Amino acid sequence: MTERETAPASRGDVQWVGFVSSATGAVTWIVARVWFRGEIPVELYGVIQFGVPMGLGWLAAEVRWRTARRRGA
């Protein structure tokens, strides 16, 4: 498997979308409740809504890439 090829999609790839959505909602709720007593500043809300999915997406891509590389070896 070359570096440009991708491995076939798996069930985990599809379920990841739901996990990212629920994790983002959970982080937003926790931050709003624990640190801001229910009213989160708009700026921080935006950072969470973009940052959590980007971080989880990076993590998923890294795991997927390493898995595909290991299978190809």
Side-chain angles (χ1 to χ4, degrees):
M1 179 175 282
T2 65
E3 201 167 313
R4 291 181 176 246
E5 292 177 2
T6 59
S10 67
R11 183 178 297 173
D13 296 332
V14 176
Q15 291 172 343
W16 186 254
V17 176
F19 174 73
V20 169
S21 298
S22 59
T24 303
V27 169
T28 304
W29 183 84
I30 290 169
V31 168
R33 290 287 177 197
V34 172
W35 285 290
F36 295 102
R37 306 288 184 221
E39 195 161 321
I40 191 168
V42 175
E43 296 85 6
L44 185 58
Y45 180 80
V47 169
I48 292 172
Q49 291 297 311
F50 286 111
V52 171
M54 283 176 29
L56 291 174
W58 176 85
L59 181 65
E62 187 68 22
V63 168
R64 186 75 168 133
W65 181 76
R66 287 177 188 236
T67 303
R69 198 168 128 203
R70 199 173 320 132
R71 285 185 190 153

